[in-house]
Amino acid sequence: MASLKDAPKPAANIKDELKHFDPSKLAHAETNEESQLPHAAMLYGVEHFQKDKLSHTETAEKGVLPNKEEVKQEKDHQNLLHGVEGFDKSSMKHAQTYEKSSLPHDSALMGVKSFDKTKLQHTQTSEKVVLPDSSAIEAEKKHDQFVKGIEHFDSSKLKPTETQEKNPLPTKEIIAQEKAA
């Protein structure tokens, strides 16, 4: 869309021309409005219209109006929003909030400080992760080599081939013979 800056500028003397405009110099023009159909022909078409040539059509309501429950829900929602927006904060009482610390209390800290480590028993840790056997490792190496072969394939080593079409399209002569038969 072109902007106003791109529009052509009017001539500087156009204001003076408009001030000195003389409407008596204009020529009278007659307008000739023609109707597509003459009035009598239009009335004849309406009077002799044949309703029996119309086909029956089922009407389908597309703009469904809301039912009672939907209107009530929307009204309640609007009233709730209006109540929240117009709420007077000055009617509220001041409340004192108490913050509880999530840090351990002194009694818990004392329990940790006085803990007797000599009552602990020694344990052995055992590793539960099982390493794969040699056959699994070999299979994975072969798979990796296969993938690398595909990724680094040199297409220049391929030999050129010619494509032979096994199902050729019929010629004009064959088409003409089939039409004649």
Side-chain angles (χ1 to χ4, degrees):
M1 180 175 212
S3 67
L4 191 58
K5 293 178 185 178
D6 299 334
K9 305 290 184 227
N13 61 350
I14 198 162
K15 287 184 181 178
D16 293 335
E17 289 179 15
L18 289 173
K19 286 181 184 176
H20 302 297
F21 176 71
D22 185 14
S24 62
K25 292 181 181 179
L26 293 176
H28 182 71
E30 293 255 347
T31 59
N32 188 8
E33 293 184 26
E34 294 182 13
S35 174
Q36 294 291 343
L37 289 174
H39 187 65
M42 202 179 321
L43 287 177
Y44 178 81
V46 172
E47 290 172 354
H48 292 82
F49 182 73
Q50 297 174 352
K51 292 187 210 176
D52 56 339
K53 289 189 177 180
L54 294 176
S55 58
H56 180 69
T57 305
E58 290 293 325
T59 57
E61 189 172 329
K62 292 189 178 184
V64 180
L65 296 174
N67 58 21
K68 248 184 196 180
E69 294 84 27
E70 291 171 346
V71 171
K72 185 179 183 320
Q73 282 179 343
E74 188 174 339
K75 196 172 191 179
D76 291 344
H77 182 68
Q78 290 296 333
N79 289 339
L80 177 69
L81 290 178
H82 182 33
V84 170
E85 290 171 355
F87 182 71
D88 184 21
K89 294 178 187 176
S90 63
S91 65
M92 296 176 73
K93 296 179 183 176
H94 182 70
Q96 185 67 30
T97 57
Y98 299 103
E99 291 187 33
K100 291 187 175 181
S101 176
S102 61
L103 298 175
H105 298 291
D106 292 336
S107 62
L109 290 175
M110 291 302 291
V112 171
K113 287 180 183 177
S114 64
F115 183 73
D116 187 13
K117 294 180 185 177
T118 59
K119 293 182 180 179
L120 293 176
Q121 296 178 356
H122 183 70
T123 60
Q124 281 288 59
T125 57
S126 62
E127 191 171 323
K128 299 284 182 169
V129 178
V130 179
L131 296 175
D133 60 346
S134 60
S135 63
I137 293 172
E138 275 301 313
E140 189 174 343
K141 282 183 183 179
K142 284 183 182 178
H143 180 70
D144 287 344
Q145 287 175 350
F146 176 72
V147 170
K148 284 181 184 177
I150 293 172
E151 289 174 350
H152 297 74
F153 179 71
D154 186 13
S155 61
S156 64
K157 293 180 181 177
L158 293 175
K159 296 178 185 175
T161 59
E162 290 184 22
T163 306
Q164 293 180 356
E165 193 171 319
K166 300 274 183 169
N167 190 7
L169 295 174
T171 62
K172 291 181 182 179
E173 293 83 23
I174 295 172
I175 294 173
Q177 287 175 355
E178 287 179 3
K179 285 183 180 178

